[in-house]
Amino acid sequence: MRFLAALFLALTPAPPPADIARPAPTFNGTVHAVAYRGDTVYVGGSFTKATWEGRTYPRQRLAAFDSRTGKLMKWAPDTDGVVHALATTADGVFAAGDFHRVAGVKRDAIAHFSGVSGTLAPFSHEVDGTPYTLTTGHGRLYLGGSFSSVDGEPRRNLAAFDLKTGRVDPRWAAKADDRVHTLAVSGQQVFLGGAFHKVNDVSSTLRLAAVSSSNGTLDRYFRPKVTAEVNALAVDSGGVYVATGGQGGRAVAYTLDGSLRWQRVFDGDAVAITRHKGVTYVGGHFDKACLTPRNGPRGTCLDGAEPRIKLAAITGSGKLTDWAPQANGVIGVRVLGVDERANAIDAGGDFTTVGGSSRPHFARFSTETGVRRAH
């Protein structure tokens, strides 16, 4: 029986690891943003070309591909500057960043496109500064970044637009005293993270806070303690998950009242974070995951470490998994996204290889086999 069992195991092919990259286009410059609408994946960044199946195509900082096959689509609006953020709705795609013209037409830092043709919509606003993040919910488009006004009206690093009218929503009046890097809508709240010290002039809102999705008033029951600048966040029914910089970087999980659940420390900044089926995926500048929360100068792990080069995954209880695709580069991973339809994790950034294979600036990973737990 033992012999037959051993023979069965020997002849049964092992399931593919979760870090095998799926087919997807690659790019000649940094990918900063990824968003999803139906079976289409939208990508934004600083690139000017996309490559698919050995052929290179012009793509001026915006591109799209089929989530099922990875095939590059004809959707190709062009901007004259970097796209930092993307968000989708039923009728299109919003982009925000450092651009001033789209397809030769004036669009200051924010634009709206058809999700099918890429045609530019009438949505047009003047943003005095640079947007870094977008999200949608409750009939609104929420904008965060480093700006002082929208359409000449004071808007300190936060604003909301009515999706029906396209106008700035005057009822939503949240503000922050410094950069907002990331936004996420959950329930009746908008969570925001960044470099700010105060939200709505309240001092207990350092770097991470929540406001009402309808009017922007502060949620005073969400009171997390964050030790460093928040670069990215994700929210689900279990809590709030953030990627931070600082002395090294951290992936931190909070309850919905801001209590600490767990944290993982790395030897470099954590820049991107997302959640899928109870697993937290993290990307950034790091090369190692520390075995304890203690680290020293330049993020050096003081109590041992495991190699996790630019990418890592963490269980629901805060344990490190063995998912370790290994992207290269100094900056590494800048954005992570989840394609629920395709059971895929997408990573974009400054890397050019993953696991030793050429994957310039974008890679797609299967999650169908799950991630194995760390010992």
Side-chain angles (χ1 to χ4, degrees):
M1 292 295 292
R2 289 182 179 177
F3 171 78
L4 291 175
L7 180 62
F8 175 79
L9 289 173
L11 295 176
T12 302
D19 54 357
I20 287 180
R22 286 186 171 185
T26 57
F27 301 89
N28 73 333
T30 301
V31 170
H32 289 279
V34 61
Y36 307 90
R37 181 176 175 272
D39 289 323
T40 303
V41 183
Y42 301 91
V43 182
S46 61
F47 53 83
T48 57
K49 296 178 182 178
T51 298
W52 168 249
E53 291 190 333
R55 294 186 61 185
T56 298
Y57 304 84
R59 289 295 185 273
Q60 296 291 328
R61 304 171 187 89
L62 286 165
F65 67 91
D66 187 303
S67 71
R68 298 162 298 178
T69 65
K71 182 180 179 180
L72 187 70
M73 300 174 71
K74 293 182 179 180
W75 191 88
D78 64 273
T79 72
D80 66 351
V82 178
V83 172
H84 289 298
L86 294 170
T88 61
T89 61
D91 66 347
V93 181
F94 290 90
D98 268 328
F99 54 84
H100 300 286
R101 302 188 76 82
V102 176
V105 179
K106 183 179 179 181
R107 284 294 186 272
D108 186 32
I110 190 166
H112 183 201
F113 308 94
S114 163
V116 178
S117 66
T119 302
L120 185 64
F123 182 86
S124 179
H125 296 277
E126 297 284 336
V127 180
D128 186 11
T130 303
Y132 297 132
T133 180
L134 289 170
T135 193
T136 59
H138 303 284
R140 295 178 180 85
L141 173 72
Y142 300 95
L143 177 71
S146 178
F147 52 87
S148 58
S149 68
V150 177
D151 297 338
E153 295 293 327
R155 288 291 185 275
R156 292 179 60 193
N157 305 311
L158 288 164
F161 303 88
D162 186 311
L163 288 173
K164 288 184 179 180
T165 66
R167 298 174 182 173
V168 176
D169 187 344
R171 297 169 298 173
W172 199 82
K175 59 185 178 180
D177 68 348
D178 206 338
R179 299 183 304 277
V180 175
H181 291 304
T182 178
L183 296 170
V185 174
S186 180
Q188 300 301 313
Q189 296 168 297
V190 180
F191 292 86
L192 46 141
F196 50 82
H197 294 79
K198 294 181 181 180
V199 172
N200 297 351
D201 296 321
V202 178
S203 59
S204 60
T205 53
L206 182 66
R207 305 186 183 102
L208 180 63
V211 298
S212 165
S213 60
S214 60
N215 56 28
T217 58
L218 183 68
D219 177 357
R220 294 178 181 271
Y221 293 97
F222 181 66
R223 300 172 63 90
K225 293 182 179 180
V226 186
T227 59
E229 190 167 336
V230 173
N231 297 314
L233 67 82
V235 186
D236 63 17
S237 59
V240 181
Y241 308 83
V242 302
T244 77
Q247 182 173 292
R250 294 170 190 260
V252 189
Y254 299 95
T255 64
L256 293 174
D257 68 1
S259 300
L260 179 67
R261 286 178 52 205
W262 53 256
Q263 64 177 319
R264 297 297 316 193
V265 176
F266 301 91
D267 68 343
D269 287 357
V271 177
I273 196 163
T274 195
R275 291 272 293 171
H276 183 60
K277 294 183 177 179
V279 177
T280 302
Y281 294 84
V282 187
H285 309 170
F286 52 82
D287 295 320
K288 296 177 181 178
C290 302
L291 298 183
T292 74
R294 296 197 324 127
N295 62 359
R298 298 185 179 180
T300 303
C301 300
L302 299 179
D303 301 312
E306 290 194 19
R308 290 293 184 275
I309 304 176
K310 317 306 181 198
L311 288 161
I314 302 162
T315 72
S317 60
K319 295 182 179 180
L320 194 68
T321 77
D322 62 356
W323 188 76
Q326 297 190 7
N328 72 339
V330 176
I331 302 300
V333 174
R334 290 183 182 265
V335 64
L336 292 171
V338 177
D339 187 340
E340 298 285 357
R341 290 196 177 199
N343 280 317
I345 301 294
D346 292 318
D350 291 80
F351 56 85
T352 56
T353 67
V354 176
S357 297
S358 178
R359 300 281 176 181
H361 305 288
F362 191 84
R364 163 161 277 218
F365 305 99
S366 172
T367 64
E368 290 177 346
T369 58
V371 291
R372 299 175 294 278
R373 304 311 187 212
H375 50 74

